[in-house]
Each structure stands twice: as C-alpha cells, then as structure tokens.
Amino acid sequence: MKPITLTGLHKAFGALPVLAGLDLEVPAGSLTAILGPSGSGKTTLLRLLAGFERADAGTIGIGGVLVDGPGVHLPPERRRIGYVPQEGSLFPHLTVAGNVGFGPAARQHRARPRRGRQSRGRQGRDGQVAALLETVGLDGLGRRYPHQLSGGQQQRVALARALAIEPAVVLLDEPFASLDAHLRASVRADVQEIFGRAGTTAVLVTHDQDEALSTADRVAVLRDGTIAQCAPPEDLYRRPADPGLARFVGEANLLSGVVRGRAVETPLGTLPLDPAAAGLGAAGQVTVLIRPEQIDMRPNGPGITARVISSRYHGHDAVLAVQPGPGTGAPVMARVAGQPPHPVGSAVSLRVRGPVFAWPAD
C-alpha cells in the first residue's frame, strides 16, 4: 500500500485559522503520532483524514487515491477508514460481538445479497468477529454488553470494531486519555503489538509526549497549523528542530555555548557535539540542549561544583534543580533513577554524559 500524503492543507472555522499549509507523509504500515497541545488542530486534522470535514485548500491522498482536493471529496464510508474515538463510543444496546460486527453487517446489507449467500455471509462474519476478539484479547466476551466491561476492555472493543471493516488506515483520537495510568500503559502496548503484527497503517492523535514517544514509529509535532518536525521518536527527542520543540518534547536544559571545532564550551564544561550538529561550523555562539538524564551528580569529585535547591520525586525517578557555582548561569535540572540521592541544600559535582545537540544562537 502507498502512504498517506497530506499536501498544503488549510482549514479555518470562520475567522479562526486551524491548519495553515500543513504537509505530512505517513508511511504505509507505520504508526504515526500527531503530537500537539490542546487546541493545536490535531482532531481537526484527523477529521479531515476521515472525511468528516472538508479541507479549505490542499490535498489528501490515501493509498495512492486522492480523497480530498480541488473538486474531490470522497465521503467517509468510501475511504476505508477505521476510527477509534476517545471514549470508544460503543453502542450500549449491542453486545460486544454486535458492536464489532456492526460495520461488516452494514456493508453486507448495502450489498443486498441473496438469502442463501446472506446466511453464509453471516457465518463468515461471526468467524471474523470471533477472530478479532481473540486478537484484541477479548476471546469469549462476545455476549457481554459494554457496561459489563472495564474501560480498557471497552477500548479494545472499539479497536476491534475499527479493524473489522478491514480498513486501509486506522485513526485514533486520544484513545487512552480516559483510562487510568496502569490501563493506559497496558492498552497502548496491546495496540502497538496488534498493529505491528497486522502491518496496519495508523495515525494516533495525542497531547501526551510520553505516549507519542513510547508508542509511535514516527512523531509529527503540530505547531501553528503546520508540522514543525516529523521524525522517529529518538531523533525528535535527541535532535529537535529548534529550542521550542526541545522544551515541548520532554524537559530540557538550554544553555549558551561557543563552538570550538567538534566540541562546545558551556557553563557545565567543554562537551562533545552531536555529529548531527555539524552544520554549525567550526566556531560561533550557539544554544546547547542538555537533557536532565545526561547530568551525573556526585557528592565529591571532578566536575562543576553545584548545590541542590529543589527535588521532585516521581517514584521511578526524581528531578532535581541544581544551582551551579557563581558565574555559571541559571539552575539546571538533573534526573536520577529512584529516590533522590542528594537532599536539598547538599553540595554536588556535575558532569555531562554523551554528546550534546545545539542550534545557532538567535
């Protein structure tokens, strides 16, 4: 299958512009996350893909077929799109099996088969539903109703219903937002496995950076109506396109520095430059990105002398604000695994691990 291609998309609601010349390509078989803050236009973009809204300008191609563009607007039912909304939106009066089989049954009804074929079609549909329920881990629950399921099970039913129509693309609109933290991680992992095994092309909309980075093959950041950067999660995190994206995708220490060949002088010492920052040239003023987990802290030893001024404990890790010595600039954040090893007020030595990324200074 060919990729999804969005070119020059514009969409406004009255005088409010939402998308402003957006370009994006979603590779076939990939799970691509659209990441952006609330109100950035993520759901609008998904609705344009699904055909629920029409673009003001630009084109949308799905699998090599133009579905939206000048003089063209293919309706949703002809786009082979599976849609998973935030709350699942299951039919409360239908069983789990009835919900999953609804799309294939409606499609079969439109085809108006003869009576004998209809019976055989129903048997095939029942087999397809049973197979899908097994795929999403709900084998044996086909006779239950939505109110008899947990939130995570309901989302799995919504996923199976989207897959039942054998879609070219599955669109997921913040599908894990209503789940608690444990269920969210579990259902995300299930979705990843199911799509990976089936080779399904999927687009996930989310405002959660951790969700996007841990789930998607590629992450596209939506900002000011366009895609600010689209890259594999590691590249987006380690080599964001600009300082604004660095702050948006995770916590970031942004320090001034001066390039000296393949290294950069910073308030935290002279550090090796990421090879991807080679375009900076041999010398010049830059803004340097240091992620909190790159900073090592020790009670005594070589490095920059500093003092712990605050601490935030998250269970799996902790983030400490540390003030380097006089003349070294503003406080920096350092992340450590588990419980904070250094109490507030204690003196530490700082060292930065690994290469750092940088951009030309404004």
Side-chain angles (χ1 to χ4, degrees):
M1 177 184 169
K2 295 181 180 179
I4 300 171
T5 306
L6 314 176
T7 306
L9 276 192
H10 287 261
K11 182 63 180 178
F13 295 99
L16 177 65
V18 179
L19 302 180
L22 181 145
D23 296 318
L24 177 65
E25 183 171 296
V26 176
S30 74
L31 198 170
T32 297
I34 308 296
L35 176 64
S38 297
S40 60
K42 303 184 300 297
T43 295
T44 296
L45 177 56
L46 217 60
R47 290 179 63 82
L48 288 172
L49 270 170
F52 303 150
E53 302 280 354
R54 186 166 188 171
D56 297 332
T59 62
I60 300 174
I62 299 178
V65 176
L66 182 67
V67 299
D68 200 345
V72 177
H73 181 70
L74 212 62
E77 64 272 16
R78 294 181 56 196
R79 295 193 184 194
R80 292 186 59 209
I81 294 285
Y83 192 83
V84 182
Q86 186 174 129
E87 300 294 337
S89 298
L90 302 179
F91 301 119
H93 64 290
L94 295 182
T95 63
V96 166
N99 268 278
V100 175
F102 181 83
R107 185 169 57 187
Q108 190 178 56
H109 178 72
R110 286 195 298 269
R112 299 187 181 278
R114 294 177 183 174
R115 186 178 299 275
R117 292 181 182 177
Q118 188 174 20
S119 176
R120 292 194 298 273
R122 184 180 298 112
Q123 292 174 0
R125 189 169 69 245
D126 290 345
Q128 179 194 19
V129 168
L132 279 169
L133 290 177
E134 183 177 359
T135 297
V136 299
L138 297 176
D139 191 23
L141 300 184
R143 294 186 178 182
R144 292 193 184 181
Y145 285 85
H147 72 273
Q148 297 173 311
L149 304 178
S150 69
Q153 288 172 326
Q154 290 182 25
Q155 285 302 89
R156 287 185 177 92
V157 175
L159 177 60
R161 185 176 63 182
L163 292 171
I165 62 170
E166 300 177 352
V169 180
V170 174
L171 307 179
L172 304 105
D173 189 2
E174 304 259 16
F176 317 119
S178 62
L179 305 179
D180 61 42
H182 172 70
L183 271 179
R184 197 157 54 237
S186 172
V187 176
R188 271 194 328 226
D190 290 342
V191 167
Q192 226 177 345
E193 182 184 354
I194 291 164
F195 285 169
R197 192 165 59 239
T200 303
T201 304
V203 179
L204 164 69
V205 155
T206 181
H207 66 274
D208 185 324
Q209 292 93 335
D210 179 66
E211 183 169 286
L213 294 174
S214 64
T215 307
D217 302 311
R218 298 186 347 140
V219 180
V221 181
L222 183 55
R223 183 178 66 184
D224 299 329
T226 63
I227 299 299
Q229 185 174 0
C230 182
E234 183 179 351
D235 285 349
L236 180 66
Y237 186 75
R238 293 180 57 192
R239 305 176 184 97
D242 55 54
L245 280 178
R247 291 191 189 95
F248 181 66
V249 184
E251 294 181 282
N253 296 301
L254 300 176
L255 310 178
S256 60
V258 179
V259 173
R260 304 293 186 196
R262 296 182 180 179
V264 57
E265 293 179 1
T266 78
L268 298 185
T270 299
L271 310 172
L273 269 174
D274 188 311
L280 293 170
Q285 296 284 336
V286 293
T287 299
V288 180
L289 168 63
I290 300 175
R291 294 293 187 185
E293 60 273 14
Q294 290 183 266
I295 298 178
D296 282 334
M297 292 185 296
R298 297 183 181 183
N300 295 294
I304 303 297
T305 302
R307 187 169 299 277
V308 179
I309 58 175
S310 70
S311 175
R312 288 183 282 129
Y313 180 57
H314 300 285
H316 49 75
D317 65 13
V319 177
L320 283 65
V322 185
Q323 177 62 64
T328 53
V332 296
M333 295 178 294
R335 178 175 285 112
V336 296
Q339 191 170 350
H342 310 292
V344 173
S346 60
V348 293
S349 297
L350 307 181
R351 297 188 69 181
V352 178
R353 290 182 288 106
V356 296
F357 197 70
W359 309 268
D362 293 334

